[in-house]
Amino acid sequence: MLFVLRLCSLLIGLIALPASAQSRNIVQEMIDAINQTRYQNGLGQLYVSDSLMRSAFFHARDMAERNYFNHYTPEGWSAEMRANGQGYPSFLMLRENIGAGIYEPWQMVGSWMNSQGHRGNILAPYARDIGVAHYYRGSAPYRNYWVLLVGAG
């Protein structure tokens, strides 16, 4: 019941973005940056998965709203559990990058590409699906929260 109430509260609220973000689609910019990076490394593009987009959004928002930064929710929900809960089919692989404190998509991708584990997630050769979210909360410790999910369902 607590999970259902928490999920409902996540669905009800609206994203608060800084004024500069309102005229841009920074989530699409992030998807483009990821696909450009994959292309530059000889890999195919990733295709947007609605269920991964929802899962990424709920996690980014949850981290900002509840002031934590972790791959697991305080209740212990993993990326796989959250994606499955949003209807992502049984998957062969699912990888997650999280980031905070950076607003610009290309800067976030650059930061991830300088980390071996995050780079490996972006360049996973069997990945075909992507879900990305950015959530801004001015009173949160990092203000900007990113979640990237790549998978093969």
Side-chain angles (χ1 to χ4, degrees):
M1 182 66 174
L2 179 61
F3 173 73
V4 172
L5 291 174
R6 184 73 189 139
L7 183 58
C8 289
S9 71
L10 289 173
L11 290 171
I12 292 170
L14 299 175
I15 301 174
L17 294 175
S20 61
Q22 294 176 7
S23 62
R24 297 172 57 189
N25 185 342
I26 62 170
V27 169
Q28 185 59 53
E29 289 179 32
M30 174 63 83
I31 293 167
D32 294 344
I34 295 294
N35 278 326
Q36 179 66 29
T37 300
R38 288 178 58 84
Y39 174 79
Q40 291 168 347
N41 286 275
L43 296 167
Q45 77 175 25
L46 301 174
Y47 297 93
V48 172
S49 161
D50 290 341
S51 54
L52 290 183
M53 293 293 283
R54 285 190 306 271
S55 183
F57 169 75
F58 290 137
H59 191 52
R61 180 177 176 184
D62 193 47
M63 287 190 295
E65 294 292 329
R66 296 203 290 163
N67 298 322
Y68 71 96
F69 183 69
N70 199 304
H71 290 282
Y72 290 87
T73 68
E75 297 78 24
W77 286 69
S78 67
E80 292 84 1
M81 294 167 74
R82 293 188 313 271
N84 188 266
Q86 291 303 315
Y88 193 63
S90 296
F91 41 83
L92 302 173
M93 60 85 71
L94 181 72
R95 298 185 183 174
E96 177 181 62
N97 286 358
I98 59 175
I102 297 174
Y103 173 72
E104 292 295 334
W106 284 98
Q107 289 178 331
M108 191 72 256
V109 172
S111 177
W112 284 333
M113 290 302 287
N114 286 322
S115 162
Q116 185 177 1
H118 294 104
R119 178 184 179 89
N121 292 344
I122 291 170
L123 301 179
Y126 299 108
R128 68 175 188 227
D129 303 320
I130 188 171
V132 173
H134 171 263
Y135 191 83
Y136 175 83
R137 181 172 173 238
S139 62
Y142 299 106
R143 295 187 179 193
N144 293 282
Y145 293 79
W146 286 98
V147 175
L148 165 68
L149 295 168
V150 297

